[in-house]
Amino acid sequence: MTSKWNLCLLIAGCLALVAGQESNVLLETINFLRRGQTEVDLENYDNTRQMESEYDFIVVGAGTAGCALAARLSENPNWKVLLLEAGGPERLIMDVPIVAHFLQLGEMNWKYRTQPSDHACLAMNNNRCNWPRGKVMGGSSVLNYMMYTRGNRRDYDRWAELGNPGWSWKEVLPYFKKYEGSTVPDAEEDMVGRDGPVKIGYINWRSKIAEAFIDAAQQDGLKYRDYNGRIQNGVAFLHTTTHNSTRWSSNRAYLYPIKGKRTNLHVKKNALVTRVLIDPQTKTAYGIMVQADGRMQKVLARKEVIVSAGAINTPQLLMLSGVGPAKHLREVGIKPIVDLAVGYNLQDHTAPAVTFTTNSTSLKFEDFADPTWLTRFNRREGPYGSPGGCEAIAFWDLDHERDADGWPDIELFLVGGSMSSNPAISRAFGLKKSIYDSVFAEIEDKSLDAFMIFPMILRPKSRGRIMLKSTDPFKYPLIYANYFSHPYDVDISVRGLLKAISLMEQRGMKAINGKLWERKIPTCKQHPYKSWAYWACYVRHFTFTIYHYSGTAKMGPKSDRAAVVDARLRVHGIRNLRVADASIMPEIMSGHPNGPVFMIAEKAADMIKQDHGFIN
């Protein structure tokens, strides 16, 4: 890989010269690739190391939670920890925030798709929504849009009320602060973490469109505030998991600083775990089977196996291992070891993006193709540190708009470009060509300046399910998103969409001539344009997932028939097996879950240490 990277450096330099670019462009290209080479060396550290036959802890999945867990558990030098990742290495180009759209098209994405639906995802190919998931060191913290939110304090108090002691807001706040390395200058000082490994901050670049959005939201009644502080309702420029215009993934935050310093931690990439080994008599997990280096291997765990593979892969792996709904497991030919509601309770946030035109400059594909982009990125100039063009965020409690400290039910976030800003966006969402041509192509053809507002439903009531397709671990599971099965979700989505449109009446948006892009969806023509029924049809077409899959290994007491793990994240009925990722969320939190998953991992690490008598 090192030689390939050097070849890239040589080619990039030659291309810059051929294109007649100034010498500083060539130097910036070389500097970028040299920086990338440093990270290649870090990623390659464990490449030639052979797996041992036994470790104390095996962590399955090197995503947001897995990297954090492995780093924390290996703080005990007497514990040998194995971290397994099905994907490959993280690369610096993946960590340029503006290119987030493109990553969904690459091999670092599992490229899952939901099962066809007749009431959602109607604008997508075959009525199936694309569900991206990170298949790379750092997992979905390398694929996401770096939008940092904690959620609302009531989310966690609700978890505790559901029978999960230790998960109230007061009890989880120290774990948020533990991992946060926030540089947000106007964060509430007694509520924020400043010294943790995960960098959080504002981006350096702000567009006039984002400033107009901030103004309009305030004119609508919101206050500009630290939405990760005491009160969530409000508007702000986006807090991001970036630093110096670079994505700050879990891999970068937790593993890069300890590479070469902890021989008791072994990271194995391109290693797909196919089964957790569980003794059916004692109901004790004792190891895993993993496909790595071209062969199937058995690795034993002296203390625990911890599954942190995410809300799709975690339930798939548990079910393949005999942990799940007994009837379903028997139907696919697996003998159940314990009957649990694995795969149920699937939740996600959706947002039917609304497009607006403006007389202010918006992001366009030319910005991505500008040959000077590396110079500007290295100098932290321009939009290249912007996470996929996302710039600002606002939270409303639409049921109680006069309550400044309400529990928000809708989030609006601004993207400073349109669906036609670059070809990766519509491809990532899997839009039907007929829909794209009818609604968005004109923006591209006329090179209009446009932006989008995504009204994201925060507390959906619909629940989906993950099911096995077969006993083959290499076959993708069946994903039934079940979007809009509860009428509330359609209702609140339409209300959020109308809130976004209403902002165009505020002075802030009028200053940039913000106007709704009025192109009708042809398959909604049976409804009067702009009627409630039309917008409900719109919502069912543009069912854009925000990639927040969660809940499929629900945390709850044994008396809860839907629960899979207890409050210490131990799988009910199985010894030495835990789950630590977004799967355990009993109810999805009111925001973007990447931050809360860091919190879950930090808390899980402490509980594991306590249970095994290690205090650091």
Side-chain angles (χ1 to χ4, degrees), residues 170-243:
K170 182 179 179 180
E171 291 164 304
V172 301
L173 178 59
Y175 290 104
F176 280 108
K177 296 169 72 172
K178 181 177 182 177
Y179 73 74
E180 289 176 339
S182 178
T183 60
V184 175
D186 49 0
E188 294 180 33
E189 202 57 45
D190 61 333
M191 296 288 289
V192 69
R194 296 294 190 188
D195 302 317
V198 181
K199 301 297 184 185
I200 299 156
Y202 288 131
I203 60 174
N204 295 326
W205 179 80
R206 292 174 177 175
S207 71
K208 290 184 177 179
I209 298 172
E211 291 170 349
F213 176 84
I214 296 285
D215 290 343
Q218 291 180 96
Q219 290 154 9
D220 189 66
L222 292 185
K223 288 186 177 181
Y224 189 95
R225 69 168 83 247
D226 172 15
Y227 58 85
N228 287 312
R230 286 178 175 79
I231 298 176
Q232 187 182 12
N233 281 348
V235 62
F237 289 105
L238 192 64
H239 299 185
T240 68
T241 47
T242 67
H243 184 63

Side-chain angles (χ1 to χ4, degrees), residues 454-474:
F454 284 74
M456 187 178 90
I457 175 174
L458 288 176
R459 286 180 280 128
K461 296 186 178 181
S462 301
R463 298 291 184 268
R465 185 179 175 187
I466 303 290
M467 300 178 71
L468 292 179
K469 188 174 185 178
S470 77
T471 58
D472 184 349
F474 297 94

Side-chain angles (χ1 to χ4, degrees), residues 103-379:
L103 300 183
Q104 295 181 26
L105 308 179
E107 63 182 11
M108 69 291 296
N109 179 10
W110 282 95
K111 298 180 182 175
Y112 290 117
R113 299 178 72 196
T114 61
Q115 292 302 109
S117 171
D118 60 2
H119 55 270
C121 306
L122 302 182
M124 284 64 168
N125 293 319
N126 302 312
N127 293 10
R128 302 178 70 183
C129 280
N130 290 348
W131 272 27
R133 283 285 83 185
K135 188 181 182 182
V136 61
M137 288 298 301
S140 293
S141 71
V142 173
L143 216 64
N144 70 7
Y145 283 71
M146 297 150 275
M147 302 172 72
Y148 181 71
T149 67
R150 288 173 168 178
N152 192 277
R153 67 180 187 276
R154 298 173 183 89
D155 296 323
Y156 306 102
D157 289 340
R158 173 67 177 158
W159 290 8
E161 289 168 7
L162 290 172
N164 298 297
W167 291 90
S168 70
W169 170 244
K170 182 179 179 180
E171 291 164 304
V172 301
L173 178 59
Y175 290 104
F176 280 108
K177 296 169 72 172
K178 181 177 182 177
Y179 73 74
E180 289 176 339
S182 178
T183 60
V184 175
D186 49 0
E188 294 180 33
E189 202 57 45
D190 61 333
M191 296 288 289
V192 69
R194 296 294 190 188
D195 302 317
V198 181
K199 301 297 184 185
I200 299 156
Y202 288 131
I203 60 174
N204 295 326
W205 179 80
R206 292 174 177 175
S207 71
K208 290 184 177 179
I209 298 172
E211 291 170 349
F213 176 84
I214 296 285
D215 290 343
Q218 291 180 96
Q219 290 154 9
D220 189 66
L222 292 185
K223 288 186 177 181
Y224 189 95
R225 69 168 83 247
D226 172 15
Y227 58 85
N228 287 312
R230 286 178 175 79
I231 298 176
Q232 187 182 12
N233 281 348
V235 62
F237 289 105
L238 192 64
H239 299 185
T240 68
T241 47
T242 67
H243 184 63
N244 290 337
S245 298
T246 303
R247 176 192 294 274
W248 217 257
S249 70
S250 187
N251 182 40
R252 181 184 296 277
Y254 284 93
L255 298 186
Y256 279 13
I258 61 174
K259 288 279 185 174
K261 299 175 183 177
R262 292 188 191 168
T263 57
N264 63 321
L265 173 60
H266 183 187
V267 179
K268 184 68 175 177
K269 294 183 282 290
N270 300 305
L272 179 69
V273 176
T274 61
R275 186 158 56 99
V276 177
L277 299 173
I278 302 171
D279 186 316
Q281 303 303 317
T282 63
K283 290 185 169 52
T284 302
Y286 62 91
I288 51 95
M289 297 300 297
V290 57
Q291 180 72 26
D293 301 322
R295 61 192 177 92
M296 191 66 69
Q297 303 178 53
K298 177 194 287 188
V299 185
L300 303 181
R302 283 186 287 266
K303 297 186 184 297
E304 290 192 25
V305 175
I306 305 149
V307 182
S308 299
I312 301 173
N313 298 78
T314 285
Q316 180 189 23
L317 179 59
L318 291 176
M319 288 188 284
L320 288 170
S321 307
V323 178
K327 181 181 177 182
H328 174 52
L329 296 187
R330 291 190 186 101
E331 287 171 347
V332 296
I334 296 173
K335 185 176 181 180
I337 297 175
V338 63
D339 183 13
L340 293 172
V342 173
Y344 286 91
N345 196 46
L346 174 61
Q347 299 162 65
D348 186 25
H349 290 138
T350 58
V354 189
T355 301
F356 304 89
T357 56
T358 175
N359 60 14
S360 186
T361 303
S362 64
L363 290 174
K364 294 190 176 73
F365 184 66
E366 301 88 83
D367 296 313
F368 301 86
D370 183 348
T372 67
W373 78 269
L374 266 181
T375 302
R376 300 174 70 192
F377 171 72
N378 287 344
R379 296 176 181 177

